Amino acid sequence: FTNLLRTAVLAAVLAPGVFAQQFCWTEMTDNLTVTPGTGVACTYGAPNNYTAINEYWRSYNPLARIGAANFDVLSVTFGVEDATAGLSAPTQPATLNIYRDPTPGNPAPRANLVLLGSEVIAIPNQTVSLYTHTFSTPIPANGLGGDDLVLMLSIPNGLTLQNRFFFGGNPNGQASPTYLSSSDCGIAEPLACG
């Protein structure tokens, strides 16, 4: 790892029904601040730090938050310490996946996760900021019971395109960890950061 992740910013905006009020889930004590030097990424090293495959994970337990209600995931916000697309491109690709985890807690083993929805996104060049992606179609999260809802941001290998991505965070505390996996760095299952 190039840097240690203190606390990662990753939040989901959810809607419990068509006419209900929207709400946001976060595990952060401070979900508005991205602090330089707290990001983490598996990279190809200095001097360029081009990004290897990185997957950032966060688990939420709906039963503990809203009971057994059904809801839709409308958007996801995450912290960005550095997103610099190579070759003068304005954006770099990523994928947001939403899973159901029948074994709450750490999202490993990933083989147990059930994909609820996925969307390819384009992360614009930015530093020390938050990025929000609104799904083109809300992702239903129905009948989860005691299962966790897991968000995963997947960053592809950026060596060829010279992309650099460091997930943003801050040292201000969190209720549960962010997890990282990276097949390029030999981390097959989500590993707690922080």
Side-chain angles (χ1 to χ4, degrees):
F1 300 109
T2 310
N3 292 311
L4 290 178
L5 181 71
R6 304 281 192 280
T7 304
V9 177
L10 185 64
V13 174
L14 310 150
V18 177
F19 299 106
Q21 183 178 17
Q22 293 180 6
F23 53 95
C24 177
W25 288 351
T26 182
E27 295 294 317
M28 303 289 299
T29 302
D30 172 3
N31 64 354
L32 300 176
T33 303
V34 176
T35 304
T38 60
V40 67
C42 176
T43 72
Y44 286 96
N48 299 313
N49 288 318
Y50 297 139
T51 303
I53 293 170
N54 286 271
E55 296 168 326
Y56 302 94
W57 306 76
R58 181 72 89 167
S59 292
Y60 299 90
N61 187 278
L63 190 60
R65 294 169 184 266
I66 61 169
N70 294 331
F71 57 91
D72 293 331
V73 179
L74 304 177
S75 65
V76 172
T77 298
F78 54 88
V80 176
E81 181 170 330
D82 180 25
T84 305
L87 308 175
S88 301
T91 63
Q92 60 183 290
T95 303
L96 278 169
N97 294 322
I98 309 296
Y99 295 96
R100 175 184 192 149
D101 183 1
T103 58
N106 181 331
R110 61 193 301 155
N112 288 348
L113 301 177
V114 177
L115 184 65
L116 300 177
S118 180
E119 192 160 294
V120 174
I121 66 172
I123 301 172
N125 292 332
Q126 59 188 332
T127 58
V128 189
S129 58
L130 299 175
Y131 176 72
T132 298
H133 174 76
T134 300
F135 290 101
S136 57
T137 302
I139 298 174
N142 299 326
L144 292 181
D147 293 356
D148 276 358
L149 180 77
V150 177
L151 310 180
M152 190 261 277
L153 172 66
S154 178
I155 306 294
N157 187 303
L159 183 61
T160 302
L161 296 176
Q162 300 177 355
N163 292 336
R164 189 171 58 239
F165 183 86
F166 282 83
F167 198 71
N170 65 52
N172 300 334
Q174 61 187 354
S176 67
T178 293
Y179 298 86
L180 172 73
S181 58
S182 174
S183 59
D184 286 345
C185 286
I187 307 169
E189 292 290 343
L191 177 70
C193 299

